[in-house]
Amino acid sequence: MREGYKGTGPGAITPDGCAVELYSRLSVGSEPDVIEAAVPAGAHILELGSGVGRMTHPLLERGFTVTAVDESAEMLERVRGARTIRGTIEELDLGEKFDVVMLASFLVNTGDVEVRRGMLRTCAAHVADGGCVLIQREGADYHLNVPRERVDPSGYTVRIVSAEPVGDGVNSVRAEYEFPDAAWTQTFLSRPLTQEQFEEALAEAGLEVTEYLTEDGMWVRAVPAA
């Protein structure tokens, strides 16, 4: 387990505190629709941090080809229909280019600046000429509107219980997931980024934002800087 990260609940827990069984149960929402609307039909997507395939599988159903990358073998065992690669995002070097590179799940908000830089370098290194990078970032009030909870239409409850400063602009965030038959928690380190800080981080990696795809600014399309 990485320092500052932990998880509780049934089943395997990954080094960043994610529970494999939990992520197999979480609904996907509108995210695949956002992605589909932003990229060419049938594109080959490099999905960084795919987990169990929560978004992989809907994207495959929409006719995309997906290469799914995750550091957890237990997560990748749940992925069906996609090429899978086990490894850390920041160290990935496939020697290939993809129509779309996707970094979702707020990974860009990792507490470790060097890990974030490595992730964004990986995005830039693997996107084809004319391709794009899709990034999901935290909303502006993610760390402010706490505690809060949301009841998913499928019947489970998600709570962001706390977001406590631990120094250097990083917060320790605790989340709880309650199902009728089981419960999980996850604690992780997250660095809030203003829009300006986010765009500066992308620019450092040679990427520039072309469009904020959702009204809340959480889904972003970027391309290699000219």
Side-chain angles (χ1 to χ4, degrees):
M1 199 66 60
R2 293 195 185 94
E3 184 177 354
Y5 294 76
K6 61 183 177 181
T8 66
I13 307 289
T14 66
D16 58 356
C18 295
V20 176
E21 182 61 33
L22 166 64
Y23 277 82
S24 297
R25 295 183 178 208
L26 294 180
S27 60
V28 70
S30 63
E31 293 164 344
D33 298 328
V34 173
I35 297 161
E36 183 178 27
V39 303
H44 190 173
I45 299 174
L46 175 63
E47 184 184 5
L48 302 174
S50 66
V52 297
R54 188 173 63 91
M55 283 197 282
T56 316
H57 298 138
L59 291 173
L60 292 169
E61 291 170 1
R62 286 162 166 77
F64 297 105
T65 300
V66 181
T67 294
V69 177
D70 203 275
E71 67 175 348
S72 168
E74 293 92 343
M75 288 282 195
L76 290 176
E77 284 174 1
R78 307 288 182 107
V79 176
R80 298 288 180 267
R83 172 192 179 197
T84 59
I85 296 172
R86 183 186 179 191
T88 58
I89 297 169
E90 62 270 24
E91 297 174 346
L92 191 71
D93 183 7
L94 298 180
E96 302 174 42
K97 302 284 188 177
F98 297 81
D99 303 320
V100 180
V101 179
M102 186 170 71
L103 185 71
S105 302
F106 309 146
L107 291 174
V108 73
N109 290 96
T110 177
D112 190 318
V113 171
E114 290 306 314
V115 170
R116 182 190 70 208
R117 286 174 173 153
M119 288 179 173
L120 292 174
R121 283 196 301 266
T122 293
C123 291
H126 289 84
V127 64
D129 292 341
C132 68
V133 178
L134 299 185
I135 300 173
Q136 185 186 27
R137 58 192 285 261
E138 292 174 346
D141 65 345
Y142 186 83
H143 295 262
L144 302 176
N145 181 24
V146 178
R148 64 179 181 273
E149 75 174 36
R150 173 181 66 84
V151 179
D152 190 82
S154 63
Y156 63 85
T157 300
V158 182
R159 300 184 184 93
I160 303 298
V161 180
S162 58
E164 300 294 337
V166 294
D168 190 34
V170 176
N171 289 340
S172 175
V173 180
R174 177 181 170 88
E176 296 178 351
Y177 302 83
E178 185 176 317
F179 287 74
D181 62 336
W184 287 268
T185 71
Q186 183 180 4
T187 301
F188 56 95
L189 299 179
S190 177
R191 182 181 296 275
L193 298 172
T194 65
Q195 181 174 322
E196 182 180 6
Q197 290 168 333
F198 169 73
E199 293 185 2
E200 286 175 353
L202 265 62
E204 185 182 24
L207 298 169
E208 61 183 6
V209 173
T210 60
E211 185 179 2
Y212 286 85
L213 300 170
T214 51
E215 288 187 12
D216 56 18
M218 292 171 64
W219 276 96
V220 184
R221 184 182 188 273
V223 298

